[in-house]
Amino acid sequence: AQGRYPLGYYPHNIHFLWSAASMLGDSETAIAAARKTAEKVSVGELEQFTFMQGFAAVPLQAYVRFGKWEELLTVPYPGANLMYYRIFWHYGRGMAFVRKGILNEAQEELDSLASCLNKDIYKSINVSRNSAKKIAELAYNIVAGELLAAHDNQEQADEHFKKALEIEDSLIYFEPPAWHLPTRHNYGDFLVKTGAYKKAEIIYKEDLKKWKDNGWSLIGLYNCYVGLGDRNMANKTMARFKNSWQYSDVEIKASVY
């Protein structure tokens, strides 16, 4: 096939499969679709066609969603010219290092994301109808929140999660969404871990209005009710979770890995 379809629309179709499978917890389908999305992109055209860097970065996002930290850390540095892709490369590595407890390395990735924010060119790069600067700001605040939480700096972590939430909610609508993993999944998990169950309940319910009956928020909401000692609502929420999670191939205990 020639023209725009194989260049953009075909990988975009597979992109949808990745997004849907991710929400359903079907990691095998999601990761396979993510890799196929990236494979359909011509490496030689990534620098010229910035939107294709969004497709190339999908495996990084899939690895974060399903906690595939070792796979993430084996992805080689893409080079300085692939500016949009680099956002997700640093973000993914930052998340991986936080989860592995290697916090000094996570700080280095956060510093790299901060350097992206200081480059004016990111304002002019648009992928999925949103500026790369805005996506970089969102990535920065998520990693900052997770890193500060790992350092037990709850107050500042909370500020960064709230900022990330504000940025995500301001993104221009696109399908699949310009940001792959709902920020409320990160923020809700943080609130549950700090015992702020009522606040977490609100966050998860907001997410469930946007992504009806998604298992990630339902397991988070279940954890809220367990923490609050509301066994009746916990049981009802677990029933909803089991129904939503029937096509998954992973077990989860929280809204993020």
Side-chain angles (χ1 to χ4, degrees), residues 195-242:
Y197 300 118
K198 292 300 292 184
K199 290 182 180 179
E201 179 186 7
I202 293 170
I203 291 296
Y204 285 127
K205 284 183 175 179
E206 288 176 352
D207 191 67
L208 287 162
K209 286 181 181 179
K210 296 181 69 173
W211 304 100
K212 186 177 179 181
D213 282 338
N214 79 83
W216 302 96
S217 272
L218 284 171
I219 198 66
L221 188 59
Y222 166 79
N223 290 335
C224 292
Y225 291 132
V226 170
L228 291 167
D230 190 337
R231 180 49 56 184
N232 179 51
M233 287 304 299
N235 289 338
K236 288 181 179 179
T237 305
M238 177 52 69
R240 290 173 65 192
F241 168 75
K242 287 180 178 178

Side-chain angles (χ1 to χ4, degrees), residues 34-126:
R35 289 170 175 165
K36 191 172 183 180
T37 300
E39 288 167 3
K40 294 302 176 182
V41 171
S42 172
V43 175
E45 295 176 314
L46 284 176
E47 190 174 341
Q48 180 183 359
F49 298 104
T50 311
F51 76 91
M52 294 171 68
Q53 294 181 34
F55 294 142
V58 173
L60 301 174
Q61 299 165 57
Y63 295 152
V64 172
R65 172 81 278 186
F66 290 101
K68 303 294 184 182
W69 310 125
E70 297 302 329
E71 287 90 334
L72 232 170
L73 293 174
T74 63
V75 177
Y77 177 65
N81 292 334
L82 300 187
M83 295 182 180
Y84 189 76
Y85 182 97
R86 278 182 57 209
I87 295 170
F88 289 97
W89 191 79
H90 291 302
Y91 156 76
R93 288 173 63 84
M95 290 296 299
F97 285 130
V98 169
R99 294 295 189 255
K100 290 168 70 69
I102 310 174
L103 304 187
N104 60 320
E105 295 283 356
Q107 182 63 54
E108 289 186 14
E109 301 302 336
L110 184 63
D111 292 342
S112 294
L113 284 170
S115 73
C116 294
L117 300 179
N118 294 324
K119 292 182 172 65
D120 287 340
I121 192 169
Y122 278 85
K123 297 178 184 177
S124 62
I125 298 173
N126 279 274

